Amino acid sequence: MFPIFKPAGDSAIAIIFGDEIDENVNKKVHAVAEAIEEAAPEWLIEVVPTYTSVYIYYDPLKISYSEVLEAVKPFLSAEPREEEKRIIEIPVAYGGKFGPDIEFVAEYNGLTVEEVIEIHSKPLYRVYMLGFLPGFAYLGGMDEGIATPRLEKPRLKVPAGSVGIAGKQTGWYAIESPGGWRLIGRTPLKTFDPSKSPPSIVKAGDYVKFVPISEEEFWEIYKQEWGESNDRAC
Amino acid sequence: MIELVNVPSLMTIQDLGRTGYQKFGVPVSGVMDEVSARLANYLVGNEDNTPLLEFVLRGPTIRFHSSAVFAIGGDIDAKLNGIPINPWESYWAKRGDVLEVGTLKSGMYGYIAFAGGIKCEPILGSYSTYIRANFGRALKSGDTLSLGYAILTEKEGKKLPKEFVPKYSNESEVMVILGPQEEHFTEEGIKTFLRSTYEVTAESDRMGYRLEGPAIEHSEKGADIITDAIPLGSIQVPKSGKPIIMLADRQTTGGYAKIGVVARVDIPKVAQTRPGGKLKFRAASVEEAQEALRRRETTMEVIKMFLLGELRAYKLKVFEEELIAFTKVEKKR
């Protein structure tokens, strides 16, 4: 049955490896995506791995759909490499002005604030994919004991670095944006920096560990990470 | 250098987009109508991907602080020092000259290209503005912009033959390739989608166009999917059954089922449709869409060579039909 190939318009092909969120399916997705990227055929524009699919964006002026179908087949045998797990530590100042919803999360789940922090910072979260907005990581592995529904009315402005919970999902806002997640803390790290290559602090396949820090530590790291704001026209 | 004396609408710097970073969640962005933008660039001797100004409906007033050659792309009247000038034609502006660009008579997005392009710092390899991530920002009155270096001689007075001037309609038929989540829709739902006329709503921007029209029925699989990639022109159908066409500033991934993807050749048509304008969708094969794109690109290449002076154009009348023919210009060495 899998993989399934489907055109996604005239300039992309989707290769689908499964129909549910599964670590092994996702590992295969990233193995195939990396193999195609490394081979860098001249018709390739870019590769976007997701939970269960690999989207290959190609130049239809250089190759036809049926040729792409043939060209990608040799890459399907790519297997996840046995590499050392890359663990990225994300320091987080929990509660207070950094996490205005942490008390709600605690109350909703019948816990204390300290317990929420402990439960949230305990697991190793796997990065399944990046998407939606620059640097936004889809993490797997949150303890359902702290799952909390989204805000009924999203905030208009959530500061970059804010760490939140939405249903059974957790993660951080890499850039300032509107958002409906329950905010429980904030990392002082610049998790997305377009002047760096790669621009994102995490990549798909990494593991994330949240490390609680104090407010003083937050500001210390914050000053190192964030320079002056910039308002140039271009 | 140019000074933006008055910026009456959303105006940004764009090129053909930021590719290679979608896997980090970075949207592609870029111009909404690549045909109009590329033609404007060709008129001033630029390459396809040169950064230029994109405005919505109403154009800016610009004061030139140095000599420049510019061209306006769009169905619009403009004045240089109070004297009417044409779109799709390149003009020389001197220091102190003032360009007033009016309101688009048809279409949604207009372009102003400058020989040498707009000079700024690229972000992740592109000059495209993506406001939500502070990759550039909306331009405002009082801003000044530097222009890239270009030899200006022989770049003015270029004119796009009227046969190739883009026409913007508020009622279009659009080619779509169905899928990749067609199983999330009932047969009836897909019929509704292909047989109905949809209206572009006012809730439309560079990110996507929301359409109003008969609701599209989902199958028992429902409107939500496991978060998946969103190619340009993807037509997402959320639970409401009302389609959304995802455009330049679309997010890289999303969780609504996609009923189809607009053929790349028809993206400019969609982008130039104003709120209230109507779209009808026609299912096409990938092969048909790619063939149409190849034909368009052949035309674009010919126009580019003509405007660069490498081809000469002749008008022919064959059985009452006017044709345009091109021959190669032998370059003097």
Side-chain angles (χ1 to χ4, degrees), chain B residues 233-277:
Chain B
S234 292
I235 304 171
Q236 291 189 321
V237 185
K239 209 172 168 188
S240 67
K242 307 293 163 99
I244 306 168
I245 309 182
M246 305 304 291
L247 295 166
D249 278 353
R250 71 198 176 280
Q251 66 270 33
T252 61
T253 60
Y256 294 130
K258 298 179 280 287
I259 195 169
V261 182
V262 173
R264 209 179 107 189
V265 73
D266 281 348
I267 295 285
K269 243 199 254 185
V270 172
Q272 293 289 8
T273 308
R274 293 183 178 182

Side-chain angles (χ1 to χ4, degrees), chain A residues 69-150:
Chain A
L69 263 184
E70 284 312 304
V72 298
K73 279 183 182 155
F75 299 105
L76 298 177
S77 54
E79 286 299 329
R81 276 173 238 166
E82 276 309 316
E83 276 177 10
E84 236 178 284
K85 274 186 190 172
R86 207 170 80 114
I87 298 169
I88 312 292
E89 290 194 348
I90 305 281
V92 181
Y94 284 97
K97 61 174 172 283
F98 301 115
D101 302 326
I102 200 164
E103 271 131 28
F104 181 88
V105 173
E107 221 167 282
Y108 184 84
N109 289 290
L111 300 164
T112 64
V113 165
E114 287 68 36
E115 284 169 324
V116 171
I117 298 172
E118 202 192 315
I119 294 169
H120 187 259
S121 58
K122 201 170 166 193
L124 260 191
Y125 297 94
R126 184 168 190 279
V127 179
Y128 276 85
M129 59 182 280
L130 274 81
F132 183 52
L133 286 172
F136 184 89
Y138 289 83
L139 303 179
M142 192 183 80
D143 191 314
E144 290 195 23
I146 51 173
T148 315
R150 285 164 207 259

Side-chain angles (χ1 to χ4, degrees), chain A residues 6 10 46 53 55 58 135 234, chain B residues 22-24 120 180 228 290:
Chain A
K6 282 185 173 187
D10 54 23
E46 62 182 309
S53 65
Y55 273 62
Y58 63 92
C234 69
Chain B
Q22 289 191 75
K23 66 177 172 180
F24 297 115
C120 43
D228 192 39
Q290 293 186 341

Side-chain angles (χ1 to χ4, degrees), chain B residues 193-211:
Chain B
F193 170 63
L194 293 173
R195 286 176 185 171
S196 311
T197 299
Y198 288 90
E199 193 178 302
V200 175
T201 69
E203 284 172 80
S204 298
D205 57 17
R206 285 183 41 88
M207 192 170 174
Y209 283 8
R210 286 173 182 268
L211 307 182

